[in-house]
Amino acid sequence: MTEKLNRTPLYDVHKQLGGRLIEFGGWEMPVQYSSIIDEHLAVRSNVGMFDVSHMGELEIRGPESLPLIQKLIANDAAKLVDGQVLYTPMCTETGGIVDDLLVYRFAADRYMLVVNASNIKKDLEWIHTHSETGVEIENRSDETALVALQGRNAPQCLQTLTDVDISTVNYYRFTEGKVAGIPTVISRTGYTGEIGFELYVEARRAADLWAAVYEATNAIGGKPVGLGARDTLRLEARLCLYGNDIDETTTPLEAGLRWTVAFDKGDFIGREALIWQNDEGIKRRLMGFQMLDRSIARAHHAVYHKDRCVGEVTSGAPAPSLKCNIGLAYLPTEISKINTKVEIEIRGRLHPAKVVRTPFYQAPI
Amino acid sequence: MFPADLKYMESHEWARREGDIVDVGVSDYAQAEIQDVVYVELPEVGTILEQHKAFGVIESVKAAFDLNAPVSGEVIEINEELEDAPELVNEAPYDAGWMIKIRMSDSDELEALMSAREYQVMIETEENE
């Protein structure tokens, strides 16, 4: 039995552009329009645009919004001001990660949670389970489209379409304004390691927004980018992919997301378990590695150290900006030091790799 | 797009016969589908291959695909250029992007493979499904 795949409001646009569509987390999404490497390099050197409308948007309203969010997430949403965004894991009682998400504060009693497409249903159930009175939870995913514009030329590109002074929208801040005449939430966030924006619009205006952004992007030599390059871009920047690098069996401390855990903010779900893990010492860590030959590690390949299987690759791919092959794997803390030699089992053979510093790639400032 | 003097496999490898030697690569259709060939893993010279069994791997940015032997026999040469320049498979799939040469043990195996015309029909049928 095959379930019918979801389509974003931009499905027809992708077909017209010759995008190659694949299944991703229950969605039919473009993996590439031209070549993954070309699209990747366009974002690194210029600008690229993405349809990421599959992401989920959950609105939290009411006087008890902040207490609920504070209970649900590991990071501290009390520090947010209106127009600010926060990246955070949402944990289970045992410290595992239910989802990683962005929290947008529109007002003291109105927030938007942006969650992974494959987790929308699970997150909603989780949030409802833990909510009490004084808060309304609304799934606005279907009526919301999301277009990302990423790359060093994204600000100038976006500026041609809006009266909002883009230079005033700082990192992890957002503002509401018109882009190409369309009411848009302009958020300076992204998943590529480059400067960029994510543009939230009503689904029925998505095609108009895409067309305008496409024209502006095209005018400066940028291009549409599919999920293939989105994955290599985020991996080079060492941004975790839910379901690969993090899930309910991994904790933020193991995943290198300690900076997102606000131990001192008061109680939240998973806090006790994380304190316990922190006191005990972190036994394994999500580390970056680089292949030392030309082979390519992929998710689920086994990692060996001195003939002992010590872990599994969670993400692995060629790094088009670095001209080498990279990956992430959970390694026991004692062998997680930078430059530690490990071996990756690929099709029955061991290939040399070494632990390296991350992010693998950092955008020049 | 599909040279008439070659034989083709359902898994998109081509075979070019020169005497009892068979050159092997992947078709233009396959390279266009894979795009951005970033790695080609080939067997060592001297390896004995069995028809339809994997002899190597071709990788795109996203995934790895088996390469299957069009005929049984011994690998007598591999294209070492592909180690440094896997993109040759994209640029010239029937020429500089060749992969291995096999000394075939049974020429009947080769004759049983698809002609260019049959291969083209197969692809068109797949695409219309």
Side-chain angles (χ1 to χ4, degrees):
Chain A
M1 193 179 80
T2 53
E3 232 173 292
K4 194 169 179 299
L5 293 177
N6 295 305
R7 292 175 175 177
T8 80
L10 295 167
Y11 175 83
D12 292 335
V13 176
H14 304 317
K15 291 220 102 168
Q16 279 162 26
L17 287 170
R20 187 176 304 183
L21 300 163
I22 58 155
E23 190 271 338
F24 177 79
W27 290 75
E28 200 170 0
M29 299 294 291
V31 62
Q32 63 199 82
Y33 301 87
S34 51
S35 122
I36 292 177
I37 292 177
D38 290 351
E39 291 170 20
H40 178 112
L41 296 176
V43 174
R44 287 278 181 253
S45 67
N46 185 1
V47 67
M49 60 185 294
F50 309 68
D51 173 21
V52 279
S53 301
H54 59 308
M55 300 292 288
E57 292 85 13
L58 313 178
E59 193 175 308
I60 312 280
R61 285 188 310 259
E64 292 303 311
S65 296
L66 183 60
L68 171 63
I69 290 168
Q70 287 290 71
K71 181 165 79 173
L72 290 169
I73 69 170
N75 211 335
D76 188 3
K79 289 188 303 199
L80 292 176
V81 297
D82 292 353
Q84 195 174 3
V85 191
L86 181 74
Y87 172 76
T88 182
M90 177 163 75
C91 289
T92 64
E93 288 291 352
T94 56
I97 302 173
V98 176
D99 202 359
D100 65 329
L101 51 120
L102 294 178
V103 180
Y104 285 73
R105 176 171 149 154
F106 283 82
D109 59 355
R110 186 159 75 91
Y111 294 82
M112 175 171 75
L113 310 183
V114 180
V115 305
N116 285 295
S118 53
N119 288 338
I120 296 172
K121 206 169 149 243
K122 178 180 82 166
D123 289 353
L124 269 173
E125 281 167 15
W126 180 262
I127 294 166
H128 276 291
T129 302
H130 294 95
S131 70
E132 290 163 33
T133 54
V135 58
E136 282 175 79
I137 301 151
E138 194 181 349
N139 179 7
R140 305 196 57 172
S141 305
D142 289 345
E143 64 205 70
T144 309
L146 178 54
V147 174
L149 186 64
Q150 302 278 305
R152 67 183 61 161
N153 293 329
Q156 66 167 84
C157 182
L158 183 57
Q159 192 62 76
T160 64
L161 299 170
T162 182
D163 292 335
V164 173
D165 181 356
I166 288 302
S167 67
T168 64
V169 186
N170 291 321
Y171 188 57
Y172 268 65
R173 298 280 173 153
F174 70 96
T175 189
E176 292 173 90
K178 283 191 173 173
V179 174
I182 300 159
T184 303
V185 172
I186 303 168
S187 168
R188 209 182 125 192
T189 49
Y191 195 48
T192 61
E194 296 293 331
I195 186 172
F197 299 88
E198 293 180 300
L199 308 172
Y200 298 85
V201 290
E202 271 187 82
R204 62 188 183 85
R205 305 301 303 273
D208 293 337
L209 181 82
W210 178 277
V213 176
Y214 182 76
E215 196 177 322
T217 301
N218 219 15
I220 57 169
K223 38 177 91 195
V225 180
L227 292 187
R230 183 170 156 88
D231 190 47
T232 51
L233 288 158
R234 70 91 197 166
L235 180 59
E236 285 185 347
R238 200 218 180 272
L239 298 167
C240 289
L241 173 60
Y242 193 88
N244 276 42
D245 310 309
I246 51 176
D247 59 28
E248 292 190 11
T249 71
T250 64
T251 74
L253 302 179
E254 295 168 338
L257 299 174
R258 176 184 291 272
W259 62 276
T260 66
V261 182
F263 284 113
D264 55 359
K265 77 165 185 178
D267 198 27
F268 62 88
I269 298 167
R271 179 168 179 265
E272 266 180 54
L274 292 173
I275 288 174
W276 188 83
Q277 186 178 53
N278 195 42
D279 291 347
E280 283 284 294
I282 316 295
K283 302 273 194 299
R284 58 173 191 161
R285 292 168 191 277
L286 185 63
M287 300 303 298
F289 65 84
Q290 179 187 329
M291 298 307 298
L292 296 176
D293 65 10
R294 290 170 185 275
S295 62
I296 302 165
R298 307 281 185 184
H300 306 303
H301 286 165
V303 184
Y304 284 78
H305 181 255
K306 293 183 177 160
D307 300 328
R308 192 167 64 95
C309 181
V310 293
E312 197 181 83
V313 175
T314 56
S315 289
S321 307
L322 307 171
K323 303 224 179 335
C324 66
N325 302 323
I326 59 172
L328 294 171
Y330 282 97
L331 297 176
T333 298
E334 63 272 19
I335 60 166
S336 65
K337 279 207 188 66
I338 303 303
N339 285 326
T340 302
K341 296 275 171 53
V342 293
E343 290 175 300
I344 314 290
E345 186 180 7
I346 304 171
R347 295 179 289 275
R349 279 195 209 152
L350 295 178
H351 292 263
K354 69 171 180 183
V355 178
V356 295
R357 244 175 255 289
T358 54
F360 302 96
Y361 170 89
Q362 199 140 31
I365 297 165
Chain B
M1 205 168 144
F2 307 124
D5 57 327
L6 306 185
K7 290 288 202 174
Y8 299 84
M9 299 180 73
E10 283 175 19
S11 49
H12 307 290
E13 294 81 1
W14 56 256
R16 179 188 287 123
R17 181 174 184 176
E18 288 166 29
D20 62 345
I21 308 299
V22 171
D23 289 11
V24 183
V26 298
S27 75
D28 187 51
Y29 175 83
Q31 72 76 21
E33 278 293 300
I34 294 167
Q35 292 207 330
D36 293 333
V37 172
V38 291
Y39 181 63
V40 181
E41 189 176 279
L42 298 176
E44 283 171 24
V45 170
T47 306
I48 304 298
L49 303 180
E50 198 180 322
Q51 190 187 29
H52 297 304
K53 294 279 170 63
F55 69 80
V57 166
I58 184 168
E59 297 201 46
S60 71
V61 175
K62 281 207 76 73
F65 307 90
D66 279 343
L67 295 164
N68 298 306
V71 293
S72 305
E74 181 186 353
V75 178
I76 58 160
E77 196 180 338
I78 65 169
N79 184 355
E80 288 174 357
E81 303 264 318
L82 295 183
E83 187 175 344
D84 284 330
E87 64 274 13
L88 289 173
V89 175
N90 293 121
E91 291 164 8
Y94 301 115
D95 302 299
W98 70 276
M99 291 169 180
I100 57 171
K101 290 181 193 290
I102 305 172
R103 188 188 312 280
M104 64 177 164
S105 46
D106 177 0
S107 62
D108 289 348
E109 286 180 348
L110 187 67
E111 294 315 310
L113 299 178
M114 280 182 280
S115 68
R117 180 74 201 129
E118 288 164 334
Y119 179 64
Q120 181 147 12
V121 168
M122 182 195 87
I123 286 170
E124 282 165 5
T125 309
E126 276 180 5
E127 285 191 334
N128 289 334
E129 266 168 15

